[in-house]
Amino acid sequence: MAGEFDLHQLLAGPIIAMNDAQADAAASFYEVFDQFAFEPAQQAAGGAEPEPRRLRMISFVAERATAEGIERRQISMPLLQMIPIGGIGIDSARIQFSLAVNAEPPAAARAPAGAPAAAAAERAVALKARIAPTAARDAVSGNLQVEIMLKQLDLPAGYLDMIAETQGGVSRRVPGEPAAPEGEGTELFQAAFREPAEPLIVPGGELSVLIDIVPNPRLVGPDGLELALATGATKKLRIVKPETPVRLPAKRQLLAVTLAAAPTLPGGGVLLLLKGASTGADGVKTEHEVRLMLRCGDSELPRP
Amino acid sequence: MTRGRPGPDVRRTVREGGGGRRGGIACPQCGEPIEMTLDDLLVRRSFTCRTAGCGVVLRLDQRRSNEAIDTLRQLKTKLRELGTDG
């Protein structure tokens, strides 16, 4: 019958179409992302390796009032860091349709008497189907309904890592001002939750986490590393450990931190701040702050 | 331990981790985020850190950022076409 397909083809069709649509959307987004984030590729001369593509940058002049007057600094940031763009993806889909199913006898049953036994697949009943019309009088209008819910996607993890590497951008004093400190444009250290990777603290509970501290290899004169909670969270969370001030490590180190939560916690999460400082050989002090998000649960700890 | 506000020779950078990513820039003075949207960057020419006692003003360097602003305009158009410009 016209418009009749194997049942599995009809069932798989909408799913395959959604996969294809998602791939097309990702390709379109990548095209935009590529043009937005990077400068055009430079043509390499005669068989030479092409130069790595450069991030597109945006520049600001930061003005700050000091006792000596207005201090100005030139700051350049990757555009990608300034504007978080992400593609869209299918979050959920609901497909609804009715099929007019027609069962055909197995091929083996139709085979002439005495023919060799057919394979098991050939003995199966062949189910043919077509999308049923919306009404008996409207034989050409199918009743397939597809409802797709989309969600905004963040960038892939690799790009986020790249952005993290450039976070802070490049900052230098504008001409006429004293030279910027050595090592400008690099982070003093990086930090991330190691265990658990996505810590969750619940009201009234206590949480122990390991934070992976990775100092900059060029770090000179590490000073203190201060742990603090973002303003507004200090009454909701308390840092139990470490009890004494710690130093910014010169080598990669795991820092054990224990936090205690009040009986009520803000929804979402709170920021744990790690403020590290270093004093260079020239006496110039550099600070860096890493903010780690602690998710807050909404239930009490299970009682033993 | 580091205490008090940074002096003129102190540089601070901020990295957000473990949470969602927002657009903008960490204030070069106090480290608090100065949020910026795509539309902000296309319309405004200066941004002020709202942290109490900071008040750093960031002025868009139009001479150096001409190309970046053009790119942002194109991005705005394309995101609108893709339906992802929120």
Side-chain angles (χ1 to χ4, degrees):
Chain A
M1 182 182 287
E4 198 167 71
F5 300 92
D6 284 340
L7 181 60
H8 71 88
Q9 286 179 312
L10 266 179
L11 294 177
I15 299 169
I16 293 170
M18 281 192 293
N19 266 334
D20 290 347
Q22 181 133 340
D24 285 351
S28 297
F29 168 71
Y30 178 75
E31 189 183 329
V32 172
F33 171 77
D34 183 68
Q35 291 173 12
F36 163 69
F38 299 98
E39 291 182 358
Q42 299 292 323
Q43 289 288 344
E49 282 283 314
E51 287 285 315
R53 292 180 67 190
R54 301 168 72 92
L55 287 166
R56 284 190 192 276
M57 306 290 278
I58 188 166
S59 293
F60 294 90
V61 174
E63 296 178 347
R64 185 175 74 98
T66 67
E68 292 78 31
I70 301 292
E71 180 193 79
R72 291 185 175 82
R73 274 176 177 268
Q74 185 81 45
I75 298 174
S76 295
M77 308 288 292
L79 264 187
L80 185 57
Q81 183 180 315
M82 301 289 300
I83 304 295
I85 60 171
I88 52 169
I90 296 173
D91 189 29
S92 65
R94 178 187 169 91
I95 304 166
Q96 198 169 14
F97 52 89
S98 302
L99 297 174
V101 179
N102 176 30
E104 292 187 356
R110 297 195 303 268
E122 289 175 328
R123 287 196 295 271
V125 172
L127 290 176
K128 301 285 185 181
R130 63 188 171 86
I131 294 177
T134 50
R137 63 181 180 280
D138 187 3
V140 293
S141 175
N143 65 359
L144 176 65
Q145 293 172 10
V146 181
E147 183 181 311
I148 295 175
M149 302 300 291
L150 300 176
K151 66 176 176 184
Q152 185 92 32
L153 302 174
D154 205 346
L155 291 172
Y159 286 118
L160 292 177
D161 286 348
M162 182 180 68
I163 294 168
E165 288 300 314
T166 61
Q167 187 94 23
V170 178
S171 163
R172 62 176 65 86
R173 289 171 192 255
V174 293
E177 299 284 333
E182 189 69 24
E184 191 95 325
T186 59
E187 294 179 354
L188 276 186
F189 69 99
Q190 294 180 37
F193 288 124
R194 173 78 170 271
E195 185 62 44
E198 293 185 358
L200 174 74
I201 192 162
V202 296
E206 196 168 277
L207 173 73
S208 291
V209 290
L210 286 177
I211 299 176
D212 194 3
I213 311 281
V214 185
N216 189 314
R218 292 188 295 169
L219 180 64
V220 176
D223 293 341
L225 179 66
E226 183 182 3
L227 272 76
L229 294 159
T231 310
T234 49
K235 291 182 180 173
K236 299 295 181 184
L237 280 181
R238 184 168 56 88
I239 298 173
V240 179
K241 288 181 183 175
E243 294 170 328
T244 55
V246 294
R247 290 187 68 80
L248 182 61
K251 292 183 178 176
R252 186 171 192 170
Q253 196 173 88
L254 289 176
L255 176 66
V257 176
T258 303
L259 299 136
T264 58
L265 285 176
V270 296
L271 286 173
L272 178 64
L273 313 178
L274 284 85
K275 303 174 183 178
S278 169
T279 305
D282 55 0
V284 173
K285 189 175 183 180
T286 304
E287 291 182 348
H288 178 58
E289 183 176 293
V290 175
R291 300 171 171 203
L292 300 174
M293 176 65 83
L294 272 169
R295 290 183 302 132
C296 295
D298 54 5
S299 59
E300 297 282 348
L301 273 180
R303 300 292 178 204
Chain B
M1 302 288 277
T2 305
R3 298 285 181 200
R5 297 189 57 75
D9 287 323
V10 176
R11 172 180 153 269
R12 305 184 75 185
T13 52
V14 178
R15 174 180 174 177
E16 298 278 353
R21 201 160 60 87
R22 292 177 180 170
I25 185 173
C27 173
Q29 176 63 17
C30 70
E32 291 299 316
I34 302 175
E35 291 189 10
M36 300 176 193
T37 65
L38 177 54
D39 289 329
D40 285 341
L41 284 165
L42 290 176
V43 174
R44 294 169 58 183
R45 288 292 173 259
S46 68
F47 303 84
T48 303
C49 178
R50 301 293 178 196
T51 306
C54 182
V56 160
V57 177
L58 293 175
R59 296 191 192 286
L60 190 61
D61 186 336
Q62 297 190 52
R63 185 175 61 81
R64 291 171 188 263
S65 304
N66 260 342
E67 199 178 324
I69 296 298
D70 280 348
T71 303
L72 289 176
R73 284 199 190 94
Q74 293 167 23
L75 174 70
K76 173 81 178 168
T77 305
K78 290 207 171 179
L79 289 181
R80 192 181 292 135
E81 288 169 8
L82 289 175
T84 59
D85 66 341

